[in-house]
Amino acid sequence: MASVVVVVVVLAMALLIHSCDSSQTTSALKNYNASVYNLINQSDATGSRVFQTLTGGNLATLNLAPEVTQARAQLRQAQRLSVPSGMADAQGSLVQVMQLRVAGIHMIAAHVQQAASVSTSQDAVYDISVGTSELYSSDVIYKEFVTTAIASALHADGIAVGSGSGQQPINPGQVVPDLGWLESTWIATKIGADLSTQAANANNNQPGLHGDALNYVTVDGTQLVAGVSNTIPARRARRWVLNVTNTGNYDELDVGCSVHIVGAGIAGSARIPVTIPSRATNCTVLLASLPKPGTYTVTARISRVPRQTSTTSDVISYSVTFN
Protein backbone atom coordinates (compact mmCIF):
# COMPACT_ATOMS: atom_id res chain seq x y z
CA MET A 1 0.00 0.00 0.00
CA ALA A 2 2.78 2.39 0.92
CA SER A 3 4.50 1.69 -2.39
CA VAL A 4 1.32 2.59 -4.27
CA VAL A 5 1.11 5.89 -2.42
CA VAL A 6 4.73 6.65 -3.29
CA VAL A 7 4.09 5.94 -6.96
CA VAL A 8 1.04 8.19 -6.99
CA VAL A 9 2.96 11.00 -5.31
CA VAL A 10 5.85 10.67 -7.78
CA LEU A 11 3.48 10.74 -10.76
CA ALA A 12 1.66 13.77 -9.39
CA MET A 13 4.92 15.63 -8.88
CA ALA A 14 6.07 14.70 -12.38
CA LEU A 15 2.83 16.01 -13.87
CA LEU A 16 3.12 19.20 -11.81
CA ILE A 17 6.71 19.75 -12.94
CA HIS A 18 5.73 19.13 -16.58
CA SER A 19 2.82 21.55 -16.25
CA CYS A 20 5.09 24.23 -14.79
CA ASP A 21 7.69 23.70 -17.51
CA SER A 22 5.01 23.89 -20.19
CA SER A 23 3.57 27.05 -18.70
CA GLN A 24 7.02 28.66 -18.54
CA THR A 25 7.72 27.73 -22.17
CA THR A 26 4.40 29.20 -23.31
CA SER A 27 5.05 32.43 -21.39
CA ALA A 28 8.57 32.68 -22.80
CA LEU A 29 7.31 32.30 -26.37
CA LYS A 30 4.59 34.90 -25.88
CA ASN A 31 7.01 37.31 -24.22
CA TYR A 32 9.48 36.98 -27.07
CA ASN A 33 6.78 37.62 -29.66
CA ALA A 34 5.63 40.70 -27.71
CA SER A 35 9.21 41.99 -27.54
CA VAL A 36 9.68 41.58 -31.29
CA TYR A 37 6.32 43.24 -31.94
CA ASN A 38 7.33 46.32 -29.96
CA LEU A 39 10.84 46.43 -31.41
CA ILE A 40 9.57 46.28 -35.00
CA ASN A 41 7.12 49.09 -34.22
CA GLN A 42 10.04 51.23 -33.05
CA SER A 43 12.17 50.29 -36.05
CA ASP A 44 9.37 50.97 -38.54
CA ALA A 45 8.84 54.39 -36.94
CA THR A 46 12.54 55.17 -37.36
CA GLY A 47 12.38 54.15 -41.02
CA SER A 48 9.26 56.24 -41.55
CA ARG A 49 11.08 59.31 -40.23
CA VAL A 50 13.92 58.65 -42.69
CA PHE A 51 11.57 58.76 -45.69
CA GLN A 52 9.64 61.75 -44.32
CA THR A 53 12.90 63.64 -43.85
CA LEU A 54 14.10 62.79 -47.36
CA THR A 55 11.01 64.34 -48.92
CA GLY A 56 10.52 67.26 -46.58
CA GLY A 57 13.46 69.62 -46.65
CA ASN A 58 16.61 71.09 -48.14
CA LEU A 59 18.92 68.22 -49.10
CA ALA A 60 22.01 70.26 -48.29
CA THR A 61 21.01 70.51 -44.62
CA LEU A 62 19.20 67.22 -44.01
CA ASN A 63 20.47 65.41 -40.93
CA LEU A 64 19.66 61.74 -40.42
CA ALA A 65 22.18 61.18 -37.61
CA PRO A 66 19.41 60.73 -34.99
CA GLU A 67 17.83 57.96 -37.07
CA VAL A 68 21.21 56.22 -37.47
CA THR A 69 21.66 56.32 -33.69
CA GLN A 70 18.16 54.96 -33.13
CA ALA A 71 18.67 52.12 -35.62
CA ARG A 72 21.89 51.09 -33.88
CA ALA A 73 20.17 51.14 -30.49
CA GLN A 74 17.38 48.97 -31.89
CA LEU A 75 19.95 46.48 -33.22
CA ARG A 76 21.51 46.22 -29.76
CA GLN A 77 18.05 45.75 -28.28
CA ALA A 78 17.39 42.88 -30.70
CA GLN A 79 20.71 41.24 -29.84
CA ARG A 80 19.86 41.35 -26.10
CA LEU A 81 16.43 39.77 -26.29
CA SER A 82 15.73 36.77 -24.07
CA VAL A 83 15.30 34.02 -26.64
CA PRO A 84 13.47 30.75 -25.88
CA SER A 85 14.89 27.75 -27.71
CA GLY A 86 11.88 27.53 -30.00
CA MET A 87 12.60 31.03 -31.31
CA ALA A 88 16.27 30.50 -32.24
CA ASP A 89 15.59 30.63 -35.99
CA ALA A 90 13.44 33.74 -35.65
CA GLN A 91 16.12 35.45 -33.57
CA GLY A 92 18.89 34.82 -36.10
CA SER A 93 16.81 36.34 -38.89
CA LEU A 94 15.65 39.23 -36.68
CA VAL A 95 19.23 40.29 -35.95
CA GLN A 96 19.96 40.19 -39.70
CA VAL A 97 16.92 42.39 -40.31
CA MET A 98 18.11 44.98 -37.81
CA GLN A 99 21.66 44.90 -39.20
CA LEU A 100 20.31 45.63 -42.68
CA ARG A 101 18.27 48.52 -41.32
CA VAL A 102 21.33 50.03 -39.67
CA ALA A 103 23.33 49.62 -42.87
CA GLY A 104 20.54 51.06 -45.06
CA ILE A 105 19.84 54.11 -42.92
CA HIS A 106 23.56 54.78 -42.50
CA MET A 107 24.09 54.60 -46.28
CA ILE A 108 21.26 57.06 -46.91
CA ALA A 109 22.43 59.42 -44.18
CA ALA A 110 26.01 59.40 -45.46
CA HIS A 111 25.05 60.53 -48.98
CA VAL A 112 21.87 62.58 -48.74
CA GLN A 113 23.65 65.95 -48.54
CA GLN A 114 25.78 65.05 -51.57
CA ALA A 115 22.55 64.67 -53.55
CA ALA A 116 22.09 68.44 -53.31
CA SER A 117 25.11 69.18 -55.52
CA VAL A 118 25.05 68.72 -59.29
CA SER A 119 28.65 67.52 -59.24
CA THR A 120 27.92 64.62 -56.87
CA SER A 121 24.15 64.05 -57.11
CA GLN A 122 24.15 61.19 -59.59
CA ASP A 123 26.44 58.98 -57.50
CA ALA A 124 24.72 60.11 -54.29
CA VAL A 125 21.27 59.16 -55.53
CA TYR A 126 22.62 55.76 -56.57
CA ASP A 127 24.08 55.29 -53.08
CA ILE A 128 20.74 56.29 -51.55
CA SER A 129 19.08 53.63 -53.72
CA VAL A 130 21.56 51.09 -52.32
CA GLY A 131 20.47 52.11 -48.82
CA THR A 132 16.77 51.86 -49.63
CA SER A 133 17.41 48.45 -51.23
CA GLU A 134 18.95 47.26 -47.96
CA LEU A 135 15.86 48.48 -46.12
CA TYR A 136 13.67 46.61 -48.61
CA SER A 137 15.75 43.47 -48.08
CA SER A 138 15.14 43.83 -44.35
CA ASP A 139 11.39 43.93 -45.05
CA VAL A 140 11.60 40.77 -47.15
CA ILE A 141 13.62 38.84 -44.57
CA TYR A 142 11.33 39.96 -41.76
CA LYS A 143 8.16 38.93 -43.59
CA GLU A 144 9.53 35.72 -45.09
CA PHE A 145 11.62 34.39 -42.23
CA VAL A 146 11.05 36.15 -38.90
CA THR A 147 7.26 36.16 -38.91
CA THR A 148 7.15 32.62 -40.32
CA ALA A 149 9.53 31.28 -37.66
CA ILE A 150 7.63 33.03 -34.86
CA ALA A 151 4.30 31.67 -36.08
CA SER A 152 5.77 28.15 -36.38
CA ALA A 153 7.12 28.23 -32.82
CA LEU A 154 3.83 29.50 -31.43
CA HIS A 155 1.81 26.89 -33.32
CA ALA A 156 4.14 24.13 -32.12
CA ASP A 157 3.27 25.07 -28.55
CA GLY A 158 -0.44 25.16 -29.30
CA ILE A 159 -0.64 28.95 -29.18
CA ALA A 160 -3.19 30.49 -31.54
CA VAL A 161 -1.90 33.21 -33.88
CA GLY A 162 -4.10 36.09 -34.99
CA SER A 163 -5.78 39.31 -33.93
CA GLY A 164 -8.71 37.76 -32.07
CA SER A 165 -9.26 37.46 -28.35
CA GLY A 166 -6.71 35.16 -26.73
CA GLN A 167 -4.60 35.01 -29.91
CA GLN A 168 -1.03 36.18 -30.42
CA PRO A 169 -0.70 39.01 -33.00
CA ILE A 170 2.44 39.03 -35.15
CA ASN A 171 3.66 42.43 -36.30
CA PRO A 172 3.48 42.61 -40.14
CA GLY A 173 6.30 45.22 -40.13
CA GLN A 174 7.44 47.21 -43.18
CA VAL A 175 9.85 50.12 -43.61
CA VAL A 176 9.87 50.91 -47.36
CA PRO A 177 6.56 52.68 -48.18
CA ASP A 178 6.79 52.38 -51.97
CA LEU A 179 8.91 50.25 -54.30
CA GLY A 180 9.71 53.36 -56.29
CA TRP A 181 12.32 54.01 -53.58
CA LEU A 182 14.41 51.25 -55.17
CA GLU A 183 14.87 53.14 -58.46
CA SER A 184 17.24 56.08 -58.88
CA THR A 185 15.16 58.22 -61.23
CA TRP A 186 12.12 57.91 -58.96
CA ILE A 187 14.23 58.74 -55.90
CA ALA A 188 15.78 61.79 -57.56
CA THR A 189 12.37 63.21 -58.45
CA LYS A 190 10.96 62.43 -55.01
CA ILE A 191 13.73 64.15 -53.06
CA GLY A 192 14.38 66.95 -55.55
CA ALA A 193 17.87 65.91 -56.66
CA ASP A 194 19.52 66.38 -60.05
CA LEU A 195 20.53 63.12 -61.68
CA SER A 196 22.54 64.66 -64.50
CA THR A 197 26.20 65.26 -63.73
CA GLN A 198 27.88 68.65 -63.84
CA ALA A 199 30.33 67.44 -66.48
CA ALA A 200 27.50 66.27 -68.72
CA ASN A 201 25.67 69.57 -68.35
CA ALA A 202 28.35 72.22 -68.67
CA ASN A 203 25.79 74.63 -70.13
CA ASN A 204 23.62 74.66 -67.03
CA ASN A 205 24.84 78.05 -65.91
CA GLN A 206 23.48 79.61 -69.09
CA PRO A 207 20.46 81.90 -68.64
CA GLY A 208 17.12 80.79 -69.98
CA LEU A 209 14.88 77.76 -69.74
CA HIS A 210 16.06 74.26 -68.90
CA GLY A 211 14.02 71.08 -68.84
CA ASP A 212 12.00 68.49 -70.69
CA ALA A 213 8.34 67.46 -70.82
CA LEU A 214 6.88 63.97 -70.93
CA ASN A 215 4.30 63.96 -73.73
CA TYR A 216 2.85 60.46 -73.71
CA VAL A 217 3.69 56.77 -73.20
CA THR A 218 3.14 53.77 -75.44
CA VAL A 219 3.32 50.10 -74.56
CA ASP A 220 3.08 47.30 -77.10
CA GLY A 221 2.42 49.99 -79.72
CA THR A 222 -0.62 51.35 -77.87
CA GLN A 223 -0.58 54.96 -76.68
CA LEU A 224 -1.89 55.23 -73.13
CA VAL A 225 -4.45 57.86 -72.17
CA ALA A 226 -4.43 59.53 -68.75
CA GLY A 227 -7.70 59.75 -66.84
CA VAL A 228 -9.30 56.67 -68.40
CA SER A 229 -8.84 52.93 -68.00
CA ASN A 230 -6.29 51.43 -70.40
CA THR A 231 -6.15 47.69 -71.16
CA ILE A 232 -2.91 45.99 -72.15
CA PRO A 233 -2.04 42.27 -72.50
CA ALA A 234 0.20 41.41 -69.54
CA ARG A 235 2.40 39.18 -71.71
CA ARG A 236 3.28 42.17 -73.92
CA ALA A 237 3.94 44.76 -71.22
CA ARG A 238 7.73 44.60 -71.06
CA ARG A 239 8.66 47.42 -73.50
CA TRP A 240 7.53 50.96 -72.65
CA VAL A 241 8.33 54.01 -74.78
CA LEU A 242 8.25 57.52 -73.27
CA ASN A 243 7.94 60.40 -75.75
CA VAL A 244 9.83 63.45 -74.48
CA THR A 245 10.25 67.01 -75.76
CA ASN A 246 13.02 69.40 -74.71
CA THR A 247 11.09 72.51 -73.64
CA GLY A 248 14.16 74.60 -72.80
CA ASN A 249 16.76 76.63 -74.66
CA TYR A 250 19.70 74.22 -74.38
CA ASP A 251 20.63 70.63 -75.07
CA GLU A 252 20.13 68.44 -72.01
CA LEU A 253 22.41 65.44 -71.67
CA ASP A 254 21.96 62.13 -69.85
CA VAL A 255 18.25 62.54 -69.04
CA GLY A 256 16.78 59.75 -66.93
CA CYS A 257 13.37 58.15 -67.49
CA SER A 258 11.49 55.44 -65.63
CA VAL A 259 8.30 53.38 -65.41
CA HIS A 260 6.87 52.13 -62.12
CA ILE A 261 3.89 49.75 -61.83
CA VAL A 262 2.63 50.77 -58.39
CA GLY A 263 1.69 47.84 -56.18
CA ALA A 264 3.22 45.22 -58.48
CA GLY A 265 6.83 45.67 -57.35
CA ILE A 266 7.95 46.23 -60.94
CA ALA A 267 9.98 49.18 -62.20
CA GLY A 268 12.50 49.97 -64.89
CA SER A 269 14.65 52.88 -66.02
CA ALA A 270 16.75 54.09 -68.92
CA ARG A 271 18.56 57.24 -70.05
CA ILE A 272 18.34 59.56 -73.07
CA PRO A 273 21.83 60.60 -74.26
CA VAL A 274 20.67 64.05 -75.38
CA THR A 275 17.47 66.05 -75.83
CA ILE A 276 17.49 69.01 -78.25
CA PRO A 277 15.35 72.15 -77.78
CA SER A 278 11.88 71.90 -79.35
CA ARG A 279 12.52 68.35 -80.58
CA ALA A 280 10.81 65.19 -79.42
CA THR A 281 12.69 61.99 -78.73
CA ASN A 282 11.87 58.57 -77.31
CA CYS A 283 13.15 56.81 -74.22
CA THR A 284 12.65 53.03 -74.18
CA VAL A 285 12.29 51.36 -70.79
CA LEU A 286 12.41 47.57 -70.50
CA LEU A 287 10.86 46.09 -67.36
CA ALA A 288 12.68 43.26 -65.60
CA SER A 289 9.48 41.20 -65.29
CA LEU A 290 5.88 41.15 -66.48
CA PRO A 291 2.96 42.20 -64.26
CA LYS A 292 0.34 39.76 -63.07
CA PRO A 293 -3.17 40.30 -64.44
CA GLY A 294 -5.00 43.08 -62.62
CA THR A 295 -5.52 46.83 -62.53
CA TYR A 296 -2.64 49.06 -61.45
CA THR A 297 -1.51 52.66 -61.47
CA VAL A 298 1.48 53.04 -63.77
CA THR A 299 3.68 56.08 -63.23
CA ALA A 300 6.04 57.23 -65.99
CA ARG A 301 8.50 60.04 -65.32
CA ILE A 302 11.57 61.81 -66.62
CA SER A 303 14.24 63.18 -64.33
CA ARG A 304 14.62 66.84 -63.45
CA VAL A 305 17.70 68.44 -65.00
CA PRO A 306 19.89 71.09 -63.33
CA ARG A 307 18.37 74.60 -63.24
CA GLN A 308 14.96 73.26 -64.23
CA THR A 309 12.42 75.31 -62.28
CA SER A 310 9.19 73.38 -62.92
CA THR A 311 8.65 69.61 -62.82
CA THR A 312 4.88 69.52 -63.44
CA SER A 313 5.40 68.04 -66.91
CA ASP A 314 7.87 65.38 -65.79
CA VAL A 315 5.38 62.70 -64.72
CA ILE A 316 2.17 61.09 -65.99
CA SER A 317 0.15 58.42 -64.17
CA TYR A 318 -2.12 55.97 -65.97
CA SER A 319 -4.70 53.41 -64.89
CA VAL A 320 -3.81 50.19 -66.67
CA THR A 321 -5.57 46.82 -66.60
CA PHE A 322 -3.27 43.96 -67.58
CA ASN A 323 -5.14 40.91 -68.84
Side-chain angles (χ1 to χ4, degrees):
M1 183 66 177
S3 62
V4 173
V5 172
V6 171
V7 170
V8 171
V9 171
V10 170
L11 288 174
M13 292 184 66
L15 289 172
L16 179 61
I17 292 171
H18 175 74
S19 177
C20 290
D21 289 344
S22 178
S23 177
Q24 289 175 351
T25 298
T26 298
S27 294
L29 292 172
K30 289 181 177 179
N31 289 340
Y32 178 81
N33 181 45
S35 296
V36 172
Y37 195 104
N38 293 332
L39 177 59
I40 290 300
N41 272 348
Q42 296 171 29
S43 180
D44 287 351
T46 299
S48 179
R49 286 190 293 274
V50 168
F51 289 106
Q52 290 172 1
T53 302
L54 282 174
T55 57
N58 183 352
L59 290 176
T61 59
L62 288 188
N63 179 20
L64 290 172
E67 284 70 28
V68 174
T69 299
Q70 291 163 8
R72 288 172 174 164
Q74 289 153 6
L75 169 58
R76 290 193 296 271
Q77 188 177 341
Q79 293 169 327
R80 295 169 182 169
L81 288 178
S82 177
V83 185
S85 59
M87 292 292 187
D89 289 344
Q91 176 67 7
S93 295
L94 176 66
V95 170
Q96 185 179 6
V97 166
M98 305 310 287
Q99 288 171 334
L100 281 168
R101 292 189 176 185
V102 170
I105 294 173
H106 180 267
M107 176 66 80
I108 295 168
H111 296 94
V112 64
Q113 293 186 2
Q114 297 171 11
S117 170
V118 175
S119 61
T120 57
S121 61
Q122 191 167 53
D123 288 341
V125 170
Y126 173 78
D127 289 331
I128 290 172
S129 76
V130 172
T132 57
S133 295
E134 289 178 313
L135 293 180
Y136 178 67
S137 295
S138 80
D139 285 343
V140 172
I141 293 172
Y142 178 74
K143 290 176 180 293
E144 292 293 325
F145 296 99
V146 178
T147 62
T148 301
I150 289 176
S152 179
L154 293 174
H155 283 308
D157 196 63
I159 303 171
V161 174
S163 58
S165 177
Q167 297 180 322
Q168 283 287 298
I170 296 177
N171 196 327
Q174 182 165 320
V175 169
V176 179
D178 190 298
L179 292 182
W181 283 106
L182 307 182
E183 200 276 311
S184 291
T185 301
W186 195 94
I187 292 172
T189 301
K190 196 74 173 175
I191 68 177
D194 296 319
L195 269 187
S196 299
T197 63
Q198 190 173 43
N201 289 276
N203 60 0
N204 284 322
N205 290 325
Q206 298 296 324
L209 295 175
H210 292 265
D212 302 280
L214 176 58
N215 302 317
Y216 58 84
V217 177
T218 61
V219 56
D220 189 35
T222 299
Q223 182 174 326
L224 301 180
V225 179
V228 303
S229 180
N230 299 269
T231 301
I232 299 294
R235 69 183 184 281
R236 305 183 71 174
R238 190 179 298 277
R239 185 174 181 270
W240 299 69
V241 179
L242 286 64
N243 186 266
V244 179
T245 296
N246 183 322
T247 56
N249 303 127
Y250 303 95
D251 291 357
E252 303 292 352
L253 310 180
D254 198 26
V255 178
C257 56
S258 67
V259 172
H260 176 211
I261 303 179
V262 181
I266 299 173
S269 62
R271 308 197 75 77
I272 306 173
V274 59
T275 63
I276 299 172
S278 301
R279 293 189 188 179
T281 188
N282 288 332
C283 180
T284 300
V285 175
L286 299 178
L287 301 183
S289 59
L290 296 175
K292 295 180 180 179
T295 300
Y296 302 87
T297 296
V298 178
T299 301
R301 68 178 71 238
I302 54 176
S303 62
R304 175 180 178 271
V305 299
R307 295 184 67 87
Q308 180 178 341
T309 57
S310 173
T311 59
T312 56
S313 299
D314 287 359
V315 59
I316 303 177
S317 291
Y318 301 95
S319 175
V320 181
T321 297
F322 299 101
N323 58 16

